[in-house]
């Protein structure tokens, strides 16, 4: 049963992360019309995900 909860949390984290980074990239593109800002905001999104994992999961 514990594996089922872990799988749901992991799957939710993955879906939420991809959705959030996608939204950040699209909003960045529509605001700045520059691929470098889009890449920067996507990278910052992943930095936050790594921070969250280190801070709250481990």
């Amino acid at each position: 049963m514990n594996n089922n909860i872990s799988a749901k949390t992991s799957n939710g984290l993955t879906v939420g992360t991809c959705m959030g980074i996608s939204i950040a990239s699209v909003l960045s593109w529509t605001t700045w019309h520059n691929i470098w800002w889009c890449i920067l905001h996507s990278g910052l999104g992943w930095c936050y995900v790594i921070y969250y994992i280190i801070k709250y999961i481990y």
Side-chain angles (χ1 to χ4, degrees), residues 5-41:
I5 293 171
S6 178
K8 286 182 182 179
T9 303
S10 176
N11 200 12
L13 182 63
T14 304
V15 171
T17 301
C18 291
M19 188 88 145
I21 291 173
S22 298
I23 291 170
S25 298
V26 169
L27 289 175
S28 179
W29 176 257
T30 58
T31 302
W32 300 107
H33 300 289
N34 188 338
I35 192 68
W36 297 114
W37 281 113
C38 185
I39 292 170
L40 175 71
H41 291 134

